[in-house]
PDB file of all heavy atoms in Angstrom:
ATOM      1  N   VAL Y 845      -8.108  -0.424  -6.016  1.00  0.00           N
ATOM      2  CA  VAL Y 845      -6.927  -0.083  -6.820  1.00  0.00           C
ATOM      3  C   VAL Y 845      -5.829  -1.109  -6.558  1.00  0.00           C
ATOM      4  O   VAL Y 845      -5.804  -1.755  -5.512  1.00  0.00           O
ATOM      5  CB  VAL Y 845      -6.388   1.332  -6.497  1.00  0.00           C
ATOM      6  CG1 VAL Y 845      -7.387   2.405  -6.894  1.00  0.00           C
ATOM      7  CG2 VAL Y 845      -6.010   1.448  -5.029  1.00  0.00           C
ATOM      8  N   PRO Y 846      -4.887  -1.277  -7.498  1.00  0.00           N
ATOM      9  CA  PRO Y 846      -3.768  -2.184  -7.257  1.00  0.00           C
ATOM     10  C   PRO Y 846      -2.954  -1.729  -6.047  1.00  0.00           C
ATOM     11  O   PRO Y 846      -2.612  -0.549  -5.925  1.00  0.00           O
ATOM     12  CB  PRO Y 846      -2.941  -2.082  -8.538  1.00  0.00           C
ATOM     13  CG  PRO Y 846      -3.916  -1.663  -9.594  1.00  0.00           C
ATOM     14  CD  PRO Y 846      -4.865  -0.745  -8.879  1.00  0.00           C
ATOM     15  N   LEU Y 847      -2.658  -2.670  -5.168  1.00  0.00           N
ATOM     16  CA  LEU Y 847      -1.898  -2.383  -3.955  1.00  0.00           C
ATOM     17  C   LEU Y 847      -0.661  -3.264  -3.934  1.00  0.00           C
ATOM     18  O   LEU Y 847      -0.763  -4.489  -4.033  1.00  0.00           O
ATOM     19  CB  LEU Y 847      -2.755  -2.654  -2.717  1.00  0.00           C
ATOM     20  CG  LEU Y 847      -2.056  -2.557  -1.353  1.00  0.00           C
ATOM     21  CD1 LEU Y 847      -1.601  -1.139  -1.074  1.00  0.00           C
ATOM     22  CD2 LEU Y 847      -2.981  -3.051  -0.242  1.00  0.00           C
ATOM     23  N   PHE Y 848       0.503  -2.643  -3.808  1.00  0.00           N
ATOM     24  CA  PHE Y 848       1.755  -3.393  -3.690  1.00  0.00           C
ATOM     25  C   PHE Y 848       2.720  -2.565  -2.862  1.00  0.00           C
ATOM     26  O   PHE Y 848       2.780  -1.345  -2.992  1.00  0.00           O
ATOM     27  CB  PHE Y 848       2.352  -3.724  -5.064  1.00  0.00           C
ATOM     28  CG  PHE Y 848       2.325  -2.597  -6.060  1.00  0.00           C
ATOM     29  CD1 PHE Y 848       3.379  -1.695  -6.155  1.00  0.00           C
ATOM     30  CD2 PHE Y 848       1.222  -2.424  -6.891  1.00  0.00           C
ATOM     31  CE1 PHE Y 848       3.345  -0.657  -7.065  1.00  0.00           C
ATOM     32  CE2 PHE Y 848       1.183  -1.358  -7.804  1.00  0.00           C
ATOM     33  CZ  PHE Y 848       2.249  -0.484  -7.891  1.00  0.00           C
ATOM     34  N   ALA Y 849       3.443  -3.231  -1.985  1.00  0.00           N
ATOM     35  CA  ALA Y 849       4.360  -2.550  -1.068  1.00  0.00           C
ATOM     36  C   ALA Y 849       5.811  -2.710  -1.491  1.00  0.00           C
ATOM     37  O   ALA Y 849       6.715  -2.289  -0.767  1.00  0.00           O
ATOM     38  CB  ALA Y 849       4.175  -3.083   0.345  1.00  0.00           C
ATOM     39  N   GLU Y 850       6.046  -3.290  -2.645  1.00  0.00           N
ATOM     40  CA  GLU Y 850       7.389  -3.404  -3.216  1.00  0.00           C
ATOM     41  C   GLU Y 850       7.324  -2.991  -4.667  1.00  0.00           C
ATOM     42  O   GLU Y 850       6.277  -3.105  -5.316  1.00  0.00           O
ATOM     43  CB  GLU Y 850       7.910  -4.837  -3.095  1.00  0.00           C
ATOM     44  CG  GLU Y 850       8.120  -5.308  -1.664  1.00  0.00           C
ATOM     45  CD  GLU Y 850       8.686  -6.718  -1.611  1.00  0.00           C
ATOM     46  OE1 GLU Y 850       8.750  -7.371  -2.680  1.00  0.00           O
ATOM     47  OE2 GLU Y 850       9.060  -7.168  -0.507  1.00  0.00           O
ATOM     48  N   ASP Y 851       8.435  -2.527  -5.184  1.00  0.00           N
ATOM     49  CA  ASP Y 851       8.471  -2.128  -6.581  1.00  0.00           C
ATOM     50  C   ASP Y 851       8.235  -3.359  -7.449  1.00  0.00           C
ATOM     51  O   ASP Y 851       8.870  -4.399  -7.250  1.00  0.00           O
ATOM     52  CB  ASP Y 851       9.825  -1.488  -6.902  1.00  0.00           C
ATOM     53  CG  ASP Y 851       9.806  -0.771  -8.229  1.00  0.00           C
ATOM     54  OD1 ASP Y 851       8.754  -0.199  -8.575  1.00  0.00           O
ATOM     55  OD2 ASP Y 851      10.851  -0.762  -8.918  1.00  0.00           O
ATOM     56  N   ILE Y 852       7.305  -3.266  -8.369  1.00  0.00           N
ATOM     57  CA  ILE Y 852       6.976  -4.413  -9.205  1.00  0.00           C
ATOM     58  C   ILE Y 852       7.562  -4.241 -10.600  1.00  0.00           C
ATOM     59  O   ILE Y 852       7.856  -3.124 -11.034  1.00  0.00           O
ATOM     60  CB  ILE Y 852       5.452  -4.637  -9.282  1.00  0.00           C
ATOM     61  CG1 ILE Y 852       4.746  -3.424  -9.913  1.00  0.00           C
ATOM     62  CG2 ILE Y 852       4.887  -4.923  -7.898  1.00  0.00           C
ATOM     63  CD1 ILE Y 852       3.252  -3.643 -10.124  1.00  0.00           C
ATOM     64  N   SER Y 853       7.693  -5.343 -11.293  1.00  0.00           N
ATOM     65  CA  SER Y 853       8.266  -5.317 -12.634  1.00  0.00           C
ATOM     66  C   SER Y 853       7.236  -4.811 -13.636  1.00  0.00           C
ATOM     67  O   SER Y 853       6.026  -4.807 -13.368  1.00  0.00           O
ATOM     68  CB  SER Y 853       8.720  -6.718 -13.044  1.00  0.00           C
ATOM     69  OG  SER Y 853       7.599  -7.572 -13.199  1.00  0.00           O
ATOM     70  N   LEU Y 854       7.713  -4.431 -14.791  1.00  0.00           N
ATOM     71  CA  LEU Y 854       6.823  -3.995 -15.863  1.00  0.00           C
ATOM     72  C   LEU Y 854       5.883  -5.121 -16.252  1.00  0.00           C
ATOM     73  O   LEU Y 854       4.693  -4.891 -16.499  1.00  0.00           O
ATOM     74  CB  LEU Y 854       7.644  -3.536 -17.072  1.00  0.00           C
ATOM     75  CG  LEU Y 854       6.863  -3.040 -18.283  1.00  0.00           C
ATOM     76  CD1 LEU Y 854       6.021  -1.825 -17.922  1.00  0.00           C
ATOM     77  CD2 LEU Y 854       7.815  -2.703 -19.430  1.00  0.00           C
ATOM     78  N   GLU Y 855       6.397  -6.323 -16.266  1.00  0.00           N
ATOM     79  CA  GLU Y 855       5.567  -7.479 -16.613  1.00  0.00           C
ATOM     80  C   GLU Y 855       4.445  -7.675 -15.594  1.00  0.00           C
ATOM     81  O   GLU Y 855       3.286  -7.906 -15.960  1.00  0.00           O
ATOM     82  CB  GLU Y 855       6.448  -8.729 -16.687  1.00  0.00           C
ATOM     83  CG  GLU Y 855       5.702  -9.983 -17.103  1.00  0.00           C
ATOM     84  CD  GLU Y 855       6.633 -11.174 -17.260  1.00  0.00           C
ATOM     85  OE1 GLU Y 855       7.678 -11.025 -17.933  1.00  0.00           O
ATOM     86  OE2 GLU Y 855       6.307 -12.238 -16.692  1.00  0.00           O
ATOM     87  N   ASP Y 856       4.785  -7.561 -14.318  1.00  0.00           N
ATOM     88  CA  ASP Y 856       3.766  -7.714 -13.270  1.00  0.00           C
ATOM     89  C   ASP Y 856       2.723  -6.608 -13.335  1.00  0.00           C
ATOM     90  O   ASP Y 856       1.543  -6.830 -13.033  1.00  0.00           O
ATOM     91  CB  ASP Y 856       4.412  -7.723 -11.887  1.00  0.00           C
ATOM     92  CG  ASP Y 856       5.181  -9.003 -11.600  1.00  0.00           C
ATOM     93  OD1 ASP Y 856       4.915 -10.008 -12.285  1.00  0.00           O
ATOM     94  OD2 ASP Y 856       6.050  -8.982 -10.717  1.00  0.00           O
ATOM     95  N   SER Y 857       3.158  -5.417 -13.711  1.00  0.00           N
ATOM     96  CA  SER Y 857       2.231  -4.288 -13.752  1.00  0.00           C
ATOM     97  C   SER Y 857       1.156  -4.474 -14.818  1.00  0.00           C
ATOM     98  O   SER Y 857       0.114  -3.818 -14.769  1.00  0.00           O
ATOM     99  CB  SER Y 857       2.999  -2.986 -14.014  1.00  0.00           C
ATOM    100  OG  SER Y 857       3.464  -2.922 -15.360  1.00  0.00           O
ATOM    101  N   LYS Y 858       1.392  -5.380 -15.767  1.00  0.00           N
ATOM    102  CA  LYS Y 858       0.434  -5.623 -16.843  1.00  0.00           C
ATOM    103  C   LYS Y 858      -0.559  -6.730 -16.505  1.00  0.00           C
ATOM    104  O   LYS Y 858      -1.466  -7.018 -17.297  1.00  0.00           O
ATOM    105  CB  LYS Y 858       1.173  -5.965 -18.136  1.00  0.00           C
ATOM    106  CG  LYS Y 858       1.989  -4.805 -18.689  1.00  0.00           C
ATOM    107  CD  LYS Y 858       2.706  -5.196 -19.972  1.00  0.00           C
ATOM    108  CE  LYS Y 858       3.524  -4.020 -20.531  1.00  0.00           C
ATOM    109  NZ  LYS Y 858       4.235  -4.375 -21.779  1.00  0.00           N
ATOM    110  N   THR Y 859      -0.397  -7.347 -15.342  1.00  0.00           N
ATOM    111  CA  THR Y 859      -1.289  -8.443 -14.965  1.00  0.00           C
ATOM    112  C   THR Y 859      -1.910  -8.268 -13.578  1.00  0.00           C
ATOM    113  O   THR Y 859      -2.856  -8.973 -13.239  1.00  0.00           O
ATOM    114  CB  THR Y 859      -0.524  -9.783 -14.993  1.00  0.00           C
ATOM    115  OG1 THR Y 859       0.572  -9.719 -14.080  1.00  0.00           O
ATOM    116  CG2 THR Y 859      -0.005 -10.085 -16.393  1.00  0.00           C
ATOM    117  N   ILE Y 860      -1.389  -7.361 -12.786  1.00  0.00           N
ATOM    118  CA  ILE Y 860      -1.866  -7.210 -11.410  1.00  0.00           C
ATOM    119  C   ILE Y 860      -3.334  -6.808 -11.387  1.00  0.00           C
ATOM    120  O   ILE Y 860      -3.811  -6.054 -12.246  1.00  0.00           O
ATOM    121  CB  ILE Y 860      -1.000  -6.172 -10.651  1.00  0.00           C
ATOM    122  CG1 ILE Y 860      -1.301  -6.211  -9.152  1.00  0.00           C
ATOM    123  CG2 ILE Y 860      -1.209  -4.774 -11.215  1.00  0.00           C
ATOM    124  CD1 ILE Y 860      -0.336  -5.361  -8.327  1.00  0.00           C
ATOM    125  N   GLY Y 861      -4.066  -7.322 -10.408  1.00  0.00           N
ATOM    126  CA  GLY Y 861      -5.464  -6.949 -10.254  1.00  0.00           C
ATOM    127  C   GLY Y 861      -5.631  -5.861  -9.218  1.00  0.00           C
ATOM    128  O   GLY Y 861      -4.660  -5.348  -8.649  1.00  0.00           O
ATOM    129  N   ARG Y 862      -6.878  -5.498  -8.963  1.00  0.00           N
ATOM    130  CA  ARG Y 862      -7.156  -4.452  -7.976  1.00  0.00           C
ATOM    131  C   ARG Y 862      -7.427  -5.066  -6.607  1.00  0.00           C
ATOM    132  O   ARG Y 862      -8.019  -6.134  -6.492  1.00  0.00           O
ATOM    133  CB  ARG Y 862      -8.361  -3.612  -8.414  1.00  0.00           C
ATOM    134  CG  ARG Y 862      -8.081  -2.719  -9.609  1.00  0.00           C
ATOM    135  CD  ARG Y 862      -9.172  -1.676  -9.771  1.00  0.00           C
ATOM    136  NE  ARG Y 862     -10.382  -2.241 -10.349  1.00  0.00           N
ATOM    137  CZ  ARG Y 862     -11.571  -1.642 -10.324  1.00  0.00           C
ATOM    138  NH1 ARG Y 862     -11.716  -0.487  -9.696  1.00  0.00           N
ATOM    139  NH2 ARG Y 862     -12.620  -2.209 -10.885  1.00  0.00           N
ATOM    140  N   THR Y 863      -7.005  -4.345  -5.589  1.00  0.00           N
ATOM    141  CA  THR Y 863      -7.262  -4.717  -4.202  1.00  0.00           C
ATOM    142  C   THR Y 863      -8.493  -3.967  -3.721  1.00  0.00           C
ATOM    143  O   THR Y 863      -8.697  -2.803  -4.083  1.00  0.00           O
ATOM    144  CB  THR Y 863      -6.048  -4.368  -3.327  1.00  0.00           C
ATOM    145  OG1 THR Y 863      -4.894  -5.042  -3.839  1.00  0.00           O
ATOM    146  CG2 THR Y 863      -6.272  -4.785  -1.889  1.00  0.00           C
ATOM    147  N   SER Y 864      -9.300  -4.598  -2.901  1.00  0.00           N
ATOM    148  CA  SER Y 864     -10.539  -3.958  -2.453  1.00  0.00           C
ATOM    149  C   SER Y 864     -10.253  -2.682  -1.676  1.00  0.00           C
ATOM    150  O   SER Y 864      -9.206  -2.543  -1.032  1.00  0.00           O
ATOM    151  CB  SER Y 864     -11.343  -4.919  -1.571  1.00  0.00           C
ATOM    152  OG  SER Y 864     -10.702  -5.108  -0.324  1.00  0.00           O
ATOM    153  N   HIS Y 865     -11.201  -1.778  -1.744  1.00  0.00           N
ATOM    154  CA  HIS Y 865     -11.081  -0.506  -1.023  1.00  0.00           C
ATOM    155  C   HIS Y 865     -10.819  -0.730   0.453  1.00  0.00           C
ATOM    156  O   HIS Y 865      -9.960  -0.064   1.048  1.00  0.00           O
ATOM    157  CB  HIS Y 865     -12.358   0.308  -1.227  1.00  0.00           C
ATOM    158  CG  HIS Y 865     -12.468   1.517  -0.361  1.00  0.00           C
ATOM    159  ND1 HIS Y 865     -11.759   2.678  -0.594  1.00  0.00           N
ATOM    160  CD2 HIS Y 865     -13.203   1.746   0.776  1.00  0.00           C
ATOM    161  CE1 HIS Y 865     -12.057   3.571   0.338  1.00  0.00           C
ATOM    162  NE2 HIS Y 865     -12.926   3.025   1.179  1.00  0.00           N
ATOM    163  N   SER Y 866     -11.530  -1.648   1.054  1.00  0.00           N
ATOM    164  CA  SER Y 866     -11.367  -1.882   2.493  1.00  0.00           C
ATOM    165  C   SER Y 866      -9.968  -2.367   2.832  1.00  0.00           C
ATOM    166  O   SER Y 866      -9.388  -1.971   3.848  1.00  0.00           O
ATOM    167  CB  SER Y 866     -12.407  -2.882   2.998  1.00  0.00           C
ATOM    168  OG  SER Y 866     -12.260  -4.133   2.358  1.00  0.00           O
ATOM    169  N   GLU Y 867      -9.381  -3.217   1.986  1.00  0.00           N
ATOM    170  CA  GLU Y 867      -8.024  -3.693   2.228  1.00  0.00           C
ATOM    171  C   GLU Y 867      -7.013  -2.564   2.052  1.00  0.00           C
ATOM    172  O   GLU Y 867      -6.027  -2.491   2.788  1.00  0.00           O
ATOM    173  CB  GLU Y 867      -7.697  -4.852   1.289  1.00  0.00           C
ATOM    174  CG  GLU Y 867      -8.430  -6.132   1.586  1.00  0.00           C
ATOM    175  CD  GLU Y 867      -8.066  -7.233   0.603  1.00  0.00           C
ATOM    176  OE1 GLU Y 867      -7.040  -7.905   0.815  1.00  0.00           O
ATOM    177  OE2 GLU Y 867      -8.816  -7.407  -0.388  1.00  0.00           O
ATOM    178  N   VAL Y 868      -7.239  -1.707   1.067  1.00  0.00           N
ATOM    179  CA  VAL Y 868      -6.335  -0.562   0.872  1.00  0.00           C
ATOM    180  C   VAL Y 868      -6.389   0.349   2.087  1.00  0.00           C
ATOM    181  O   VAL Y 868      -5.358   0.802   2.592  1.00  0.00           O
ATOM    182  CB  VAL Y 868      -6.697   0.211  -0.416  1.00  0.00           C
ATOM    183  CG1 VAL Y 868      -5.822   1.458  -0.545  1.00  0.00           C
ATOM    184  CG2 VAL Y 868      -6.526  -0.675  -1.645  1.00  0.00           C
ATOM    185  N   VAL Y 869      -7.589   0.620   2.586  1.00  0.00           N
ATOM    186  CA  VAL Y 869      -7.743   1.468   3.766  1.00  0.00           C
ATOM    187  C   VAL Y 869      -7.038   0.849   4.968  1.00  0.00           C
ATOM    188  O   VAL Y 869      -6.334   1.542   5.724  1.00  0.00           O
ATOM    189  CB  VAL Y 869      -9.235   1.721   4.066  1.00  0.00           C
ATOM    190  CG1 VAL Y 869      -9.415   2.341   5.451  1.00  0.00           C
ATOM    191  CG2 VAL Y 869      -9.841   2.627   3.004  1.00  0.00           C
ATOM    192  N   ASP Y 870      -7.195  -0.457   5.158  1.00  0.00           N
ATOM    193  CA  ASP Y 870      -6.529  -1.131   6.276  1.00  0.00           C
ATOM    194  C   ASP Y 870      -5.011  -1.007   6.160  1.00  0.00           C
ATOM    195  O   ASP Y 870      -4.314  -0.765   7.157  1.00  0.00           O
ATOM    196  CB  ASP Y 870      -6.924  -2.609   6.322  1.00  0.00           C
ATOM    197  CG  ASP Y 870      -8.356  -2.821   6.798  1.00  0.00           C
ATOM    198  OD1 ASP Y 870      -8.936  -1.872   7.374  1.00  0.00           O
ATOM    199  OD2 ASP Y 870      -8.886  -3.924   6.587  1.00  0.00           O
ATOM    200  N   PHE Y 871      -4.500  -1.186   4.954  1.00  0.00           N
ATOM    201  CA  PHE Y 871      -3.054  -1.056   4.731  1.00  0.00           C
ATOM    202  C   PHE Y 871      -2.584   0.350   5.066  1.00  0.00           C
ATOM    203  O   PHE Y 871      -1.572   0.545   5.752  1.00  0.00           O
ATOM    204  CB  PHE Y 871      -2.718  -1.384   3.270  1.00  0.00           C
ATOM    205  CG  PHE Y 871      -1.298  -1.077   2.873  1.00  0.00           C
ATOM    206  CD1 PHE Y 871      -0.280  -1.960   3.165  1.00  0.00           C
ATOM    207  CD2 PHE Y 871      -0.988   0.104   2.205  1.00  0.00           C
ATOM    208  CE1 PHE Y 871       1.040  -1.678   2.803  1.00  0.00           C
ATOM    209  CE2 PHE Y 871       0.321   0.398   1.844  1.00  0.00           C
ATOM    210  CZ  PHE Y 871       1.331  -0.491   2.153  1.00  0.00           C
ATOM    211  N   VAL Y 872      -3.317   1.348   4.593  1.00  0.00           N
ATOM    212  CA  VAL Y 872      -2.932   2.737   4.808  1.00  0.00           C
ATOM    213  C   VAL Y 872      -2.932   3.071   6.294  1.00  0.00           C
ATOM    214  O   VAL Y 872      -1.999   3.707   6.810  1.00  0.00           O
ATOM    215  CB  VAL Y 872      -3.868   3.677   4.025  1.00  0.00           C
ATOM    216  CG1 VAL Y 872      -3.667   5.121   4.453  1.00  0.00           C
ATOM    217  CG2 VAL Y 872      -3.632   3.533   2.520  1.00  0.00           C
ATOM    218  N   LEU Y 873      -3.964   2.661   6.993  1.00  0.00           N
ATOM    219  CA  LEU Y 873      -4.032   2.948   8.431  1.00  0.00           C
ATOM    220  C   LEU Y 873      -2.898   2.270   9.194  1.00  0.00           C
ATOM    221  O   LEU Y 873      -2.313   2.866  10.107  1.00  0.00           O
ATOM    222  CB  LEU Y 873      -5.385   2.506   8.982  1.00  0.00           C
ATOM    223  CG  LEU Y 873      -6.593   3.353   8.558  1.00  0.00           C
ATOM    224  CD1 LEU Y 873      -7.894   2.684   8.988  1.00  0.00           C
ATOM    225  CD2 LEU Y 873      -6.506   4.760   9.147  1.00  0.00           C
ATOM    226  N   THR Y 874      -2.571   1.045   8.833  1.00  0.00           N
ATOM    227  CA  THR Y 874      -1.452   0.359   9.486  1.00  0.00           C
ATOM    228  C   THR Y 874      -0.142   1.076   9.216  1.00  0.00           C
ATOM    229  O   THR Y 874       0.685   1.268  10.126  1.00  0.00           O
ATOM    230  CB  THR Y 874      -1.367  -1.095   8.997  1.00  0.00           C
ATOM    231  OG1 THR Y 874      -2.567  -1.784   9.355  1.00  0.00           O
ATOM    232  CG2 THR Y 874      -0.185  -1.822   9.639  1.00  0.00           C
ATOM    233  N   GLU Y 875       0.065   1.490   7.973  1.00  0.00           N
ATOM    234  CA  GLU Y 875       1.278   2.226   7.618  1.00  0.00           C
ATOM    235  C   GLU Y 875       1.397   3.515   8.424  1.00  0.00           C
ATOM    236  O   GLU Y 875       2.469   3.866   8.923  1.00  0.00           O
ATOM    237  CB  GLU Y 875       1.276   2.552   6.116  1.00  0.00           C
ATOM    238  CG  GLU Y 875       1.527   1.378   5.205  1.00  0.00           C
ATOM    239  CD  GLU Y 875       2.971   0.908   5.274  1.00  0.00           C
ATOM    240  OE1 GLU Y 875       3.849   1.579   4.694  1.00  0.00           O
ATOM    241  OE2 GLU Y 875       3.222  -0.130   5.916  1.00  0.00           O
ATOM    242  N   LEU Y 876       0.298   4.227   8.555  1.00  0.00           N
ATOM    243  CA  LEU Y 876       0.325   5.496   9.278  1.00  0.00           C
ATOM    244  C   LEU Y 876       0.551   5.285  10.769  1.00  0.00           C
ATOM    245  O   LEU Y 876       1.301   6.036  11.412  1.00  0.00           O
ATOM    246  CB  LEU Y 876      -0.972   6.253   9.040  1.00  0.00           C
ATOM    247  CG  LEU Y 876      -1.178   6.778   7.614  1.00  0.00           C
ATOM    248  CD1 LEU Y 876      -2.578   7.357   7.458  1.00  0.00           C
ATOM    249  CD2 LEU Y 876      -0.128   7.822   7.244  1.00  0.00           C
ATOM    250  N   GLU Y 877      -0.086   4.276  11.328  1.00  0.00           N
ATOM    251  CA  GLU Y 877       0.089   4.005  12.752  1.00  0.00           C
ATOM    252  C   GLU Y 877       1.539   3.639  13.064  1.00  0.00           C
ATOM    253  O   GLU Y 877       2.117   4.137  14.043  1.00  0.00           O
ATOM    254  CB  GLU Y 877      -0.845   2.878  13.181  1.00  0.00           C
ATOM    255  CG  GLU Y 877      -0.832   2.616  14.677  1.00  0.00           C
ATOM    256  CD  GLU Y 877      -1.877   1.614  15.109  1.00  0.00           C
ATOM    257  OE1 GLU Y 877      -2.607   1.086  14.237  1.00  0.00           O
ATOM    258  OE2 GLU Y 877      -1.975   1.351  16.325  1.00  0.00           O
ATOM    259  N   GLU Y 878       2.131   2.794  12.234  1.00  0.00           N
ATOM    260  CA  GLU Y 878       3.523   2.405  12.459  1.00  0.00           C
ATOM    261  C   GLU Y 878       4.470   3.557  12.159  1.00  0.00           C
ATOM    262  O   GLU Y 878       5.504   3.708  12.839  1.00  0.00           O
ATOM    263  CB  GLU Y 878       3.851   1.184  11.605  1.00  0.00           C
ATOM    264  CG  GLU Y 878       3.075  -0.061  12.037  1.00  0.00           C
ATOM    265  CD  GLU Y 878       3.386  -1.288  11.194  1.00  0.00           C
ATOM    266  OE1 GLU Y 878       4.237  -1.195  10.273  1.00  0.00           O
ATOM    267  OE2 GLU Y 878       2.780  -2.352  11.449  1.00  0.00           O
ATOM    268  N   SER Y 879       4.151   4.381  11.183  1.00  0.00           N
ATOM    269  CA  SER Y 879       4.990   5.549  10.883  1.00  0.00           C
ATOM    270  C   SER Y 879       4.956   6.546  12.027  1.00  0.00           C
ATOM    271  O   SER Y 879       5.981   7.129  12.394  1.00  0.00           O
ATOM    272  CB  SER Y 879       4.516   6.228   9.590  1.00  0.00           C
ATOM    273  OG  SER Y 879       4.666   5.371   8.484  1.00  0.00           O
ATOM    274  N   ALA Y 880       3.766   6.760  12.599  1.00  0.00           N
ATOM    275  CA  ALA Y 880       3.622   7.724  13.694  1.00  0.00           C
ATOM    276  C   ALA Y 880       4.555   7.389  14.846  1.00  0.00           C
ATOM    277  O   ALA Y 880       5.102   8.286  15.506  1.00  0.00           O
ATOM    278  CB  ALA Y 880       2.177   7.767  14.166  1.00  0.00           C
ATOM    279  N   ALA Y 881       4.760   6.105  15.088  1.00  0.00           N
ATOM    280  CA  ALA Y 881       5.608   5.688  16.208  1.00  0.00           C
ATOM    281  C   ALA Y 881       7.067   6.095  16.013  1.00  0.00           C
ATOM    282  O   ALA Y 881       7.809   6.240  16.993  1.00  0.00           O
ATOM    283  CB  ALA Y 881       5.507   4.177  16.391  1.00  0.00           C
ATOM    284  N   ALA Y 882       7.488   6.286  14.764  1.00  0.00           N
ATOM    285  CA  ALA Y 882       8.891   6.611  14.486  1.00  0.00           C
ATOM    286  C   ALA Y 882       9.107   8.068  14.099  1.00  0.00           C
ATOM    287  O   ALA Y 882      10.250   8.495  13.905  1.00  0.00           O
ATOM    288  CB  ALA Y 882       9.415   5.708  13.360  1.00  0.00           C
ATOM    289  N   LEU Y 883       8.021   8.832  13.987  1.00  0.00           N
ATOM    290  CA  LEU Y 883       8.139  10.220  13.539  1.00  0.00           C
ATOM    291  C   LEU Y 883       8.273  11.177  14.711  1.00  0.00           C
ATOM    292  O   LEU Y 883       7.629  11.004  15.750  1.00  0.00           O
ATOM    293  CB  LEU Y 883       6.916  10.607  12.709  1.00  0.00           C
ATOM    294  CG  LEU Y 883       6.840  10.015  11.304  1.00  0.00           C
ATOM    295  CD1 LEU Y 883       5.435  10.188  10.721  1.00  0.00           C
ATOM    296  CD2 LEU Y 883       7.888  10.660  10.381  1.00  0.00           C
ATOM    297  N   PRO Y 884       9.071  12.234  14.547  1.00  0.00           N
ATOM    298  CA  PRO Y 884       9.152  13.277  15.576  1.00  0.00           C
ATOM    299  C   PRO Y 884       7.865  14.102  15.603  1.00  0.00           C
ATOM    300  O   PRO Y 884       7.099  14.131  14.640  1.00  0.00           O
ATOM    301  CB  PRO Y 884      10.334  14.147  15.116  1.00  0.00           C
ATOM    302  CG  PRO Y 884      11.028  13.364  14.051  1.00  0.00           C
ATOM    303  CD  PRO Y 884      10.001  12.482  13.436  1.00  0.00           C
ATOM    304  N   THR Y 885       7.641  14.789  16.707  1.00  0.00           N
ATOM    305  CA  THR Y 885       6.540  15.741  16.765  1.00  0.00           C
ATOM    306  C   THR Y 885       6.974  17.043  16.096  1.00  0.00           C
ATOM    307  O   THR Y 885       8.151  17.243  15.783  1.00  0.00           O
ATOM    308  CB  THR Y 885       6.136  16.031  18.214  1.00  0.00           C
ATOM    309  OG1 THR Y 885       7.206  16.729  18.861  1.00  0.00           O
ATOM    310  CG2 THR Y 885       5.831  14.751  18.967  1.00  0.00           C
ATOM    311  N   ASN Y 886       6.028  17.936  15.899  1.00  0.00           N
ATOM    312  CA  ASN Y 886       6.387  19.226  15.296  1.00  0.00           C
ATOM    313  C   ASN Y 886       7.344  20.014  16.181  1.00  0.00           C
ATOM    314  O   ASN Y 886       8.108  20.845  15.693  1.00  0.00           O
ATOM    315  CB  ASN Y 886       5.126  20.045  14.990  1.00  0.00           C
ATOM    316  CG  ASN Y 886       4.307  20.358  16.226  1.00  0.00           C
ATOM    317  OD1 ASN Y 886       4.367  19.665  17.237  1.00  0.00           O
ATOM    318  ND2 ASN Y 886       3.517  21.420  16.154  1.00  0.00           N
TER     319      ASN Y 886
END
């Protein structure tokens, strides 16, 4: 699926390609790991 970490323009949204599943998973895991470090516990 298309992966972007910044808001893209309408023009860019009409040309962007898809990012591989493995790269999306890597991005998601990195985001969660870094988020966990800043989040409070329950």
Side-chain angles (χ1 to χ4, degrees):
V845 294
L847 173 65
F848 44 90
E850 295 182 351
D851 193 35
I852 62 175
S853 67
L854 180 61
E855 183 176 311
D856 288 340
S857 72
K858 294 180 180 180
T859 59
I860 191 171
R862 289 194 283 164
T863 302
S864 70
H865 170 76
S866 61
E867 290 179 84
V868 176
V869 168
D870 288 344
F871 171 82
V872 169
L873 289 171
T874 298
E875 287 289 284
L876 291 173
E877 186 173 2
E878 294 180 1
S879 296
L883 287 166
T885 67
N886 61 336

